[in-house]
Amino acid sequence: MSHQTARETALDLLLSITTKHAYSQIALNEALNAGQLRENDKRLVTTLVYGVLQQKSVLRFYLSSFVNRKRKLDAWVEMLLLLSIYQKVFLDRIPDHAIVNESVTIAKKRGHRGISGFVNGILRRLMREGVPSLSSITPEQKRLSIQYSHPEWLLKLWREQWDLDTAVKTAQADNQPPNLCLRVNRLKLSRQELMEHLAQEGIQTVPGPLSLDCIVVTSGNAVATAAFQKGWFTVQDESSMLVADCVGAEDNMLILDACAGPGGKTTHLGERMNNKGKIIALDLHPHKTKLIDQAANRLGLENIETRAMDARAARDTFGEAAFDRVLLDVPCSGLGVIRRKPEIKWSKTAEEISGLIPIQRAILEEAAPMVKPGGRLIYSTCTIQKEENEQQILAFLRRHPEYRTDAALFERLPSVLSDDRESLKPGMIQIFPYQFDTDGFFICCLERKDN
């Protein structure tokens, strides 16, 4: 992508994500780290890529009013027009002439004169006429899907599981830029000290609203700092930092993190245990266990042992009643992290989500006997699906009378969370993306009875 403009880079990334199924975070990071773009252009590319992916439904609706339905557009032409419409509708600092001129220039480079003329005509009409109103779209389910740019089946599912208000607020939150959250390494310094050091390196931050370990970056590239290289912090969403509070790890415990890659929660537990005791971190994929090893080394942690292993076969290796704590951050639909991975909402299906339920159940069944009597089993997901969360746990408890939910869970969590949990069962917390500007996340803490 050398010598490309920001918009050309964004176009290539969008095509790679939508037609070749590249992961948005990985593709974007690779493009931004290639060193070909200025900082301002990097910010624009990020805004354009995430914005178009987030607003794809409503952008396509707007485009449909300017293009004859019978005309078949090449993928790159359609994406270029969506990119242009996004700038006009959702960004207020880009002049109309810049949008048109840049897009026509790209069209000339990639297509014939007829294509550039077509793009020019469409965009000039857009500038003159504006976009059509969404109010006439019927039925309501279709209008909401287009307005909030989420698949109809997904909004319907959330509406049935929760209610319409929750579905709409979640969809709105999904279309907002995600925060960059940093977790302070308490073994090296305090949260306030980290904020002060980052400020000296030009990184502005504020304390997170939930975790005492969290700061939120408001400006600057934190990962490019000396503080990162020194292992003073980890990039991790604030909602997932709460897992360590739920685990309640103590020095010298033996803990199993059964689905650990890439190691954010594992290393958090290692820090909370003051680099004492032992955490055995499993992941099915060897490249993810290597990421955990690298993170532990950067953070100065020596109490983590990694193994490439399927969590569903762990009991044969470790035996029963072996661990003080077992953490299961199980494979899930990821529908709580749509703001970070907007392609998820377009690629996931209801059938795919249902296929995860038996995998989660199998991991729970394998893990349950490995917890010592009096120990804890912690189950977490980055989704808001009841079938993967609350319903999965309630079914587990019916099968396992030796377990109960941890009635004291909220004593280990910020008081702000205890104010809004009326719909949840004891020992469970469901965070929605719109509540605290974090990822959607579910955590349940179970205790194995002493007897």
Side-chain angles (χ1 to χ4, degrees), residues 229-302:
Q229 297 301 324
K230 292 176 181 178
W232 289 358
F233 67 84
T234 295
V235 177
Q236 183 182 9
D237 187 72
E238 188 172 16
S239 59
S240 69
M241 294 183 200
L242 299 175
V243 169
D245 296 316
C246 296
V247 171
E250 300 174 8
D251 295 3
N252 302 315
M253 279 186 170
L254 179 60
I255 295 179
L256 177 67
D257 187 350
C259 309
K265 300 173 189 67
T266 311
T267 53
H268 199 186
L269 292 176
E271 294 164 6
R272 288 289 182 90
M273 293 167 68
N274 296 306
N275 219 357
K276 300 175 182 177
K278 188 175 185 180
I279 303 166
I280 298 176
L282 312 181
D283 197 274
L284 182 61
H285 306 287
H287 75 275
K288 288 190 177 180
T289 61
K290 289 180 181 178
L291 292 175
I292 301 171
D293 291 333
Q294 291 168 5
N297 183 63
R298 183 179 63 83
L299 297 167
L301 294 170
E302 300 174 347

Side-chain angles (χ1 to χ4, degrees), residues 24-312:
S24 59
Q25 284 185 317
I26 296 174
L28 189 59
N29 286 338
E30 288 177 350
L32 299 186
N33 292 332
Q36 302 296 331
L37 296 169
R38 296 172 300 179
E39 286 303 314
N40 286 346
D41 285 339
K42 289 181 180 180
R43 287 193 288 272
L44 178 59
V45 169
T46 302
T47 298
L48 294 176
V49 170
Y50 279 124
V52 173
L53 290 174
Q54 288 167 342
Q55 303 290 352
K56 191 164 67 170
S57 281
V58 71
L59 294 174
R60 279 184 165 163
F61 173 77
Y62 291 149
L63 179 59
S64 68
S65 66
F66 297 102
V67 178
N68 190 310
R69 292 181 182 180
K70 295 181 180 179
R71 176 156 189 165
K72 177 69 174 176
L73 299 180
D74 289 340
W76 74 267
V77 176
E78 181 189 32
M79 189 59 70
L80 177 61
L81 290 169
L82 296 182
L83 193 62
S84 305
I85 296 171
Y86 176 79
Q87 294 172 74
K88 170 63 176 175
V89 177
F90 292 97
L91 302 182
D92 55 9
R93 294 186 178 181
I94 302 180
D96 289 354
H97 66 84
I99 297 173
V100 176
N101 292 344
E102 285 269 4
S103 299
V104 171
T105 299
I106 293 172
K108 286 179 179 178
K109 289 173 70 173
R110 300 197 178 207
H112 52 74
R113 180 177 296 180
I115 291 294
S116 63
F118 171 74
V119 168
N120 183 58
I122 293 294
L123 295 184
R124 291 196 179 279
R125 276 189 61 199
L126 169 68
M127 303 308 166
R128 289 195 311 269
E129 302 172 14
V131 294
S133 170
L134 304 175
S135 59
S136 61
I137 301 173
T138 56
E140 181 192 44
Q141 187 168 304
K142 181 179 180 182
R143 178 181 61 78
L144 293 175
S145 172
I146 292 173
Q147 181 176 348
Y148 298 110
S149 206
H150 277 60
E152 284 189 44
W153 71 266
L154 186 54
L155 287 178
K156 182 174 183 289
L157 183 63
W158 288 345
R159 185 174 187 170
E160 291 171 349
Q161 287 193 353
W162 303 99
D163 52 48
L164 178 59
D165 184 56
T166 300
V168 167
K169 287 193 295 188
T170 299
Q172 287 177 311
D174 286 345
N175 291 334
Q176 298 302 311
N179 286 331
L180 177 64
C181 299
L182 311 180
R183 187 193 79 225
V184 62
N185 183 354
R186 286 200 219 168
L187 296 176
K188 296 181 180 287
L189 72 174
S190 69
R191 176 165 72 167
Q192 184 60 37
E193 288 170 334
L194 176 60
M195 294 176 69
E196 291 170 0
H197 279 291
L198 287 173
Q200 292 172 8
E201 294 196 62
I203 312 301
Q204 302 304 311
T205 60
V206 296
L210 293 179
S211 173
L212 294 176
D213 292 341
C214 179
I215 60 176
V216 180
V217 177
T218 56
S219 68
N221 183 4
V223 179
T225 61
F228 179 76
Q229 297 301 324
K230 292 176 181 178
W232 289 358
F233 67 84
T234 295
V235 177
Q236 183 182 9
D237 187 72
E238 188 172 16
S239 59
S240 69
M241 294 183 200
L242 299 175
V243 169
D245 296 316
C246 296
V247 171
E250 300 174 8
D251 295 3
N252 302 315
M253 279 186 170
L254 179 60
I255 295 179
L256 177 67
D257 187 350
C259 309
K265 300 173 189 67
T266 311
T267 53
H268 199 186
L269 292 176
E271 294 164 6
R272 288 289 182 90
M273 293 167 68
N274 296 306
N275 219 357
K276 300 175 182 177
K278 188 175 185 180
I279 303 166
I280 298 176
L282 312 181
D283 197 274
L284 182 61
H285 306 287
H287 75 275
K288 288 190 177 180
T289 61
K290 289 180 181 178
L291 292 175
I292 301 171
D293 291 333
Q294 291 168 5
N297 183 63
R298 183 179 63 83
L299 297 167
L301 294 170
E302 300 174 347
N303 59 345
I304 296 171
E305 174 189 325
T306 58
R307 301 193 190 188
M309 179 187 297
D310 191 329
R312 291 169 289 186

